[in-house]
Amino acid sequence: MQALPEGVLTLFFSDVEGSTRLAKSHGDVAWAELLETHRALMRQAFAAHNGLEVDTQGDSFFAVFRMASDAVAAALAAQRSLAAQAWPPAGAVRVRIGLHTGEAIARGDHYVGQEVHRASRICDAGHGGQIVVSQTTAELVRGSLPDGATLTPLGDYRLKDLGQPQRLFQLSATGLVTDFPALRSLDIPTNLPTERSSFIGREADISAIRERLAEHRLVTLTGVGGSGKTRLALQVGALELGNYADGVFFVDLAPISDADLLASTVASACGLLLGDASGAGVASFEDRLIAALARRKSLVIVDNCEHMVEAVADLLDRILADCAKMTLLATSREALAVEGEQVVPVSSLAVPDDAAVTQAQLEANDAVRLFIERARAVKPGFALGPDNRAAVVEICRRLDGIPLAIEFAAARVAHLSVPQIAERLQDRFRLLTGGRRRIQRQQTLSAALDWSHDLLSVDERIVFRRLAVFAGSFALDAAEGICSGDDIDAAVVLDLLGSLVAKSLVTTLADDRGQTRYRLLETVRMYASDKLAAAAESDAVRRVHRDWYLRWLEATPLERLTLSIQGLGDVRRELDNLRAAADWCTANDQPNVLARLINRMNGFWWASEYANEGRGLMREVLRHGERVSLDERVACLAALAGSVGTTFDYGAAVELATQAIELSDGQASASLAQAMVLRAMNRVFQMSAGGADPALAVEAGREAAAAYDMACLAPLSQSRMWVEMCRAWMETALGDLPAAVRWWGVLITSSETLEDEPWTLPLALAGLAATLHVMGRQDDALRAASRFMVLPGLRATTVTMIRTLAVEVAPVLVAGGQHEAANQLLRDAVRDAQRFGILMADGQALSMIGIAEHLRGRSQRAGRLLAASRQVKGAAMHNGFRSATSGLLYLYYLPQVRAALGPDEARRARAEGQAMTLDSAMAYALEGLG
């Protein structure tokens, strides 16, 4: 089947009226023949008018047309052919047809989305021989109808599973039957308001809520103000119309605040005239309401319960107890706590993730779709394009996918460009206001949040505004430590935080360990920040926040912070808050405190994709000179030397390490040992790259040995393991592979002494395996590689350096026949290189894949990839390998690849690889990985 077209299409549905009766009256054989005749006539009409048949099931058809006029012509042609056919006396085949034009979203060999359902239901409403057309299609073809054709308005109809009444038309033509009974529709009492704008997305939410309603009699939708609870409830109610014989009703409690008016408000919305409750012997209004509802099978949507939770809960509890056929759908910013209640949190709309890069992917995203739809309402020509795509995504992300906020932002398209809107989101509470006819509590985004804030207790308000200092997510102990004080005891923060979660002002999430963390949506956080400033608490609480995270870092063993996979995962989880603490230090001119923060994160900066950010913070510290303590400056210089070395600027790394050594004045420390071995290693790398005197190798060896001796003077395990790793790379670069193997072994032994799994262990095993492989010790190499593959934290690690460096184990796995394991490592390396942009990670991935290709007997592909690996991102400007071990593998296999190809083929492969762009080289590399 050809690929399905997408975009705005006219959808054509048809089926045979009374097909079950016809099959029985004609008999199976005759009916099968009649059905084939019907299908042939329909397909002739499709073919003659540019239609594409999408699906055929039994006696029904689904086809699509790019032009509405073609769909109309096909429908008329089909009905004329069917009417002219000589059908047997047992009964003519009469077909009903429905046409609707809308956005068609293809998924493989079928279409999905509300517009498809709409077209199908329009067809179901008709009668045999009738063509029913939606208003959208009617407007498109009104001026270009075929001769003799007319459109007759039929009125507004509620159809099964469609949220709003549909305005429908009958397409007629000379020679066709024009008189039909009234359309089939839902004649069910309801007061559901007619929505003036389309409902976007949330298909999974709607399905889940309807499933809950089928099994439970009270479902409550909870969520922050503006999250779309009401619109979602109304959409569900409209779709449920066909399931409640006595109607679906909407009760808005926002306008009332007196609990005594609750029962009468429900009665009025449900169309119940219960009279006056005054007078002796007259039952209470609530009793009469319960008596009236007891006879009904209805769905009642009770909206905005949060300001009268107890009264609403009491009333709904009575309805559930005494009205067995009633079903209730409530919306509230907190649950009602009624027995049997099913709570469904309504989250924000999904926003585009990093993988959504194409136009089609972005337009399929719910938040982006909502922005586009609402922008078109005020600016009909609005379209997503290269000039505004990034800004639309930024707006949706910064507004956390909150529908109300996105709608307000999109409304500004009438007089601002999308980039201008994005630029002004910092002042979003002034920018994002609604039209004058919105209900008062949603006139502005701020007002929507005021409605929730005003319902909080005094203590809840205090904790809520103090939570504004957190960036990203945070743990319970941090909230207890930072939000307590001034009459808020740390012991009550848990309950207050739980209450804020229940009221939808704070969200929860599970981290990678399954532990609960908390978060304020950015829009809510900015609102809370305004409240914090208004209470004159901003500086004090931000200082407490900074101090708490500094104490947290300083209380964590240094080995865990610098070497442990789990410890670095802890830092990554708190990175946003650590950044916020660093920003506070910078803004308040506290460089020494900043130094304490960033130096404790030394291992994280080196081992993650955030190395450039770390270098910037280190330089900021060093800019303040003697205002920073001597120990912190030495540590900062040593850390910066190590980080700069990973950018292959060996000269700068040597200079920084030298500054650290001179500044320390011989005072033994972990930082001094690190600086000494880094200077030695980078001098060796300079020499290998042709940038230093080879005689420096001897001096570098002595200095590295002295660094190791210093690291062994005290239990400075993190310093010793840094030195051991650098020594292994140094010996590899010098070509002394037995010495490199010894140092990898020493590092493995040291790594095994740590309780937390250190990231040095997989790195050492990979380096050892690759070195042994080059030495021809294949069995030993494979044993090291196999041990590498079963490390418990390897697959889940967030330490980017491991994944980009340790990929050098892949050739060893391929040589040992473990192809799929190697392929997975290589695919991960490509993914990380493309996602994080780590310097030369892409070159490393290409070279290792090239070596793997050679080992698989595909040397021509290997030649191209090895050549490409030396060209990307300036590799030719320096030695260009992520580690000395990967350089060793490259230099070991390059001659073998050239020999396998021969001189002419080798030159050709090299030229072809050098001509590749980075993207084309990566795509070519992935082709060989399956």
Side-chain angles (χ1 to χ4, degrees):
M1 181 177 178
Q2 69 186 81
L4 297 179
E6 290 192 282
V8 177
L9 302 172
T10 297
L11 313 175
F12 180 118
F13 277 86
S14 72
D15 66 8
V16 175
E17 183 179 49
S19 57
T20 302
R21 174 184 53 79
L22 288 172
K24 184 176 180 179
S25 61
H26 283 289
D28 291 345
V29 175
W31 172 241
E33 293 176 354
L34 293 178
L35 206 54
E36 283 305 311
T37 301
H38 151 256
R39 289 172 177 164
L41 294 175
M42 297 297 293
R43 285 169 174 151
Q44 288 172 11
F46 297 155
H49 299 284
N50 307 310
L52 173 63
E53 181 182 332
V54 177
D55 191 23
T56 304
Q57 295 183 15
D59 60 314
S60 65
F61 275 97
F62 173 27
V64 295
F65 295 78
R66 291 190 181 276
M67 300 291 293
S69 56
D70 284 343
V72 165
L76 291 172
Q79 292 292 24
R80 286 190 174 112
S81 297
L82 292 163
Q85 181 68 28
W87 302 105
V93 174
R94 292 166 56 81
V95 173
R96 55 184 164 224
I97 297 174
L99 303 179
H100 170 61
T101 304
E103 187 83 15
I105 302 171
R107 291 290 182 268
D109 61 353
H110 64 286
Y111 286 101
V112 298
Q114 186 69 15
E115 303 308 316
V116 176
H117 295 299
R118 195 184 312 278
S120 176
R121 294 309 183 199
I122 289 171
C123 172
D124 294 343
H127 301 276
Q130 189 175 27
I131 304 171
V132 182
V133 179
S134 72
Q135 182 175 12
T136 308
T137 304
E139 295 298 333
L140 287 171
V141 302
R142 191 180 301 279
S144 58
L145 289 172
D147 292 342
T150 58
L151 281 170
T152 304
L154 299 175
D156 293 344
Y157 289 83
R158 285 191 178 274
L159 306 180
K160 182 176 174 59
D161 289 336
L162 297 184
Q164 304 305 325
Q166 309 296 305
R167 178 157 297 178
L168 302 177
F169 297 77
Q170 178 175 300
L171 175 65
S172 305
T174 304
L176 296 179
V177 175
T178 58
D179 293 331
F180 298 96
L183 296 181
R184 298 176 176 87
S185 66
L186 298 175
D187 187 17
I188 296 172
T190 184
N191 72 333
L192 293 181
T194 300
E195 297 294 342
R196 300 183 184 184
S197 56
S198 60
F199 187 85
I200 302 294
R202 295 209 189 269
E203 288 84 2
D205 292 334
I206 290 171
S207 177
I209 294 166
R210 296 184 72 184
E211 287 177 6
R212 295 283 189 98
L213 287 173
E215 299 177 0
H216 305 278
R217 295 177 53 222
L218 171 59
V219 176
T220 302
L221 310 185
T222 62
V224 69
S227 62
K229 301 183 297 296
T230 300
R231 286 296 302 270
L232 181 56
L234 288 171
Q235 184 73 6
V236 169
L239 295 174
E240 287 289 318
L241 274 169
N243 296 325
Y244 295 91
D246 295 315
V248 176
F249 301 97
F250 176 73
V251 184
D252 184 7
L253 300 184
I256 68 169
S257 56
D258 186 348
D260 292 338
L261 299 176
L262 182 58
S264 61
T265 301
V266 173
S268 175
C270 294
L272 299 174
L273 301 177
L274 302 181
D276 186 1
S278 62
V282 179
S284 71
F285 203 103
E286 184 174 304
D287 290 340
R288 283 179 289 152
L289 171 65
I290 298 299
L293 293 178
R295 301 186 295 272
R296 290 193 170 202
K297 178 179 172 59
S298 293
L299 170 65
V300 177
I301 300 170
V302 187
D303 191 40
N304 298 305
C305 304
E306 55 274 339
H307 60 305
M308 293 192 297
V309 168
E310 292 187 6
V312 173
D314 290 343
L315 177 60
L316 299 193
D317 193 36
R318 279 204 65 187
I319 293 175
L320 291 175
D322 299 336
C323 307
K325 297 180 180 181
M326 292 293 295
T327 301
L328 304 167
L329 177 59
T331 77
S332 177
R333 300 187 190 187
E334 62 180 303
L336 303 179
V338 173
E339 183 179 358
E341 176 187 29
Q342 296 291 302
V343 179
V344 178
V346 177
S347 58
S348 302
L349 294 175
V351 298
D353 58 24
D354 292 338
V357 293
T358 69
Q359 181 92 358
Q361 287 172 326
L362 291 177
E363 290 182 343
N365 175 265
D366 285 349
V368 174
R369 286 171 57 199
L370 179 62
F371 186 94
I372 294 171
E373 180 87 5
R374 299 301 186 256
R376 284 174 178 166
V378 297
K379 190 174 183 178
F382 180 83
L384 193 68
D387 59 331
N388 61 25
R389 186 184 301 129
V392 169
V393 170
E394 180 187 357
I395 289 168
C396 293
R397 286 178 175 173
R398 290 180 62 189
L399 295 179
D400 306 298
I402 298 174
L404 180 66
I406 292 173
E407 290 189 356
F408 284 157
R412 292 293 188 180
V413 168
H415 57 90
L416 291 174
S417 71
V418 179
Q420 285 177 311
I421 297 171
E423 290 171 5
R424 287 163 172 75
L425 281 184
Q426 193 62 35
D427 194 12
R428 65 190 65 182
F429 296 115
R430 292 183 59 190
L431 177 71
L432 304 183
T433 60
R436 63 185 180 87
R437 296 185 184 276
R438 279 190 174 270
I439 58 176
Q440 184 61 40
R441 66 186 175 85
Q442 289 187 340
Q443 283 286 343
T444 67
L445 185 60
S446 180
L449 292 170
D450 283 340
W451 175 264
S452 292
H453 185 266
D454 291 347
L455 299 175
L456 299 179
S457 69
V458 172
D459 286 353
E460 287 171 340
R461 292 181 187 184
I462 293 172
V463 170
F464 171 66
R465 68 180 179 247
R466 290 177 182 175
L467 292 175
V469 300
F470 288 104
S473 66
F474 53 92
L476 174 60
D477 57 348
E480 290 172 329
I482 294 167
C483 296
S484 58
D486 294 335
D487 299 328
I488 300 293
D489 191 270
V492 305
V493 171
L494 172 60
D495 290 337
L496 293 171
L497 188 58
S499 180
L500 293 172
V501 171
K503 292 175 168 61
S504 304
L505 287 169
V506 177
T507 62
T508 61
L509 63 153
D511 64 21
D512 54 336
R513 305 162 302 171
Q515 300 294 310
T516 297
R517 291 179 67 83
Y518 302 87
R519 177 176 178 263
L520 274 68
L521 298 180
E522 181 60 17
T523 297
V524 177
R525 192 188 70 81
M526 292 183 68
Y527 176 87
S529 186
D530 288 345
K531 296 297 182 184
L532 189 68
E537 290 184 336
S538 291
D539 284 346
V541 180
R542 292 185 193 283
R543 189 181 305 110
V544 171
H545 173 273
R546 177 210 62 193
D547 292 343
W548 193 92
Y549 278 100
L550 180 58
R551 286 195 303 272
W552 175 77
L553 279 176
E554 294 183 335
T556 305
L558 196 56
E559 288 74 19
R560 181 176 175 84
L561 282 180
T562 57
L563 299 173
S564 162
I565 289 176
Q566 293 86 349
L568 296 186
D570 292 342
V571 174
R572 184 182 291 270
R573 278 186 290 275
E574 300 296 353
L575 181 57
D576 288 332
N577 285 301
L578 292 167
R579 283 169 169 160
D583 289 344
W584 196 94
C585 293
T586 301
N588 289 272
D589 193 27
Q590 295 192 340
N592 204 58
V593 181
L594 178 62
R596 290 165 60 192
L597 271 168
I598 65 165
N599 282 334
R600 297 288 297 186
M601 297 171 67
N602 176 18
F604 177 79
W605 301 127
W606 187 88
S608 75
E609 66 273 20
Y610 300 103
N612 193 54
E613 178 182 344
R615 286 190 287 272
L617 288 167
M618 293 172 203
R619 291 189 174 102
E620 170 63 22
V621 166
L622 294 170
R623 185 176 67 82
H624 291 277
E626 294 183 359
R627 293 185 61 203
V628 178
S629 71
L630 180 65
D631 289 346
E632 296 296 350
R633 275 184 288 157
V634 171
C636 199
L637 283 165
L640 187 56
S643 187
V644 167
T646 66
T647 70
F648 312 107
D649 191 347
Y650 306 126
V654 168
E655 181 180 344
L656 288 162
T658 300
Q659 290 178 36
I661 293 167
E662 292 175 350
L663 189 63
S664 67
D665 198 23
Q667 183 66 41
S669 67
S671 298
L672 177 56
Q674 182 181 347
M676 290 167 63
V677 76
L678 285 169
R679 182 166 71 174
M681 182 178 68
N682 281 285
R683 279 177 169 169
V684 169
F685 289 166
Q686 273 185 302
M687 181 193 70
S688 301
D693 185 347
L696 287 174
V698 176
E699 181 182 338
R702 286 197 297 265
E703 184 164 39
Y708 187 65
D709 290 342
M710 180 179 295
C712 293
L713 288 175
L716 302 171
S717 59
Q718 94 288 349
S719 173
R720 185 168 66 250
M721 292 166 70
W722 276 99
V723 174
E724 291 163 356
M725 180 177 63
C726 292
R727 288 299 302 269
W729 277 331
M730 275 181 63
E731 300 300 348
T732 302
L734 290 169
D736 190 346
L737 300 190
V741 167
R742 287 196 301 274
W743 279 108
W744 285 130
V746 171
L747 180 57
I748 289 169
T749 301
S750 298
S751 299
E752 291 170 335
T753 65
L754 292 184
E755 292 183 4
D756 289 335
E757 184 182 356
W759 56 260
T760 50
L761 183 57
L763 206 59
L765 286 168
L768 176 63
T771 307
L772 291 169
H773 174 73
V774 171
M775 294 172 68
R777 297 169 56 182
Q778 304 302 334
D779 292 343
D780 292 337
L782 193 57
R783 276 192 287 272
S786 298
R787 186 179 172 195
F788 168 90
M789 290 303 296
V790 298
L791 290 175
L794 178 64
R795 303 298 304 165
T797 181
T798 58
V799 184
T800 317
M801 191 61 68
I802 293 175
R803 298 193 302 246
T804 57
L805 283 176
V807 72
E808 59 204 16
V809 80
V812 183
L813 294 170
V814 173
Q818 299 183 29
H819 294 280
E820 183 47 42
N823 284 351
Q824 187 58 56
L825 282 176
L826 293 166
R827 283 192 291 265
D828 288 348
V830 171
R831 178 201 63 195
D832 289 339
Q834 292 177 325
R835 179 179 178 185
F836 298 122
I838 298 171
L839 184 61
M840 286 311 302
D842 33 35
Q844 169 118 338
L846 290 172
S847 62
M848 294 303 109
I849 295 172
I851 293 170
E853 292 285 43
H854 171 70
L855 290 169
R856 290 174 174 136
R858 301 196 287 250
S859 296
Q860 191 172 62
R861 289 179 58 83
R864 296 188 185 107
L865 290 170
L866 290 176
S869 74
R870 302 294 287 126
Q871 293 297 115
V872 298
K873 292 192 176 178
M877 296 172 62
H878 42 65
N879 110 358
F881 298 103
R882 294 289 296 148
S883 73
T885 314
S886 58
L888 173 69
L889 285 166
Y890 177 91
L891 295 174
Y892 177 72
Y893 275 106
L894 183 62
Q896 296 183 37
V897 172
R898 289 176 176 171
L901 290 174
D904 292 339
E905 282 298 316
R907 280 192 294 271
R908 183 177 298 110
R910 182 168 64 251
E912 291 170 352
Q914 290 173 342
M916 289 181 177
T917 65
L918 175 58
D919 289 342
S920 64
M922 285 296 201
Y924 183 71
L926 288 171
E927 287 175 6
L929 300 180

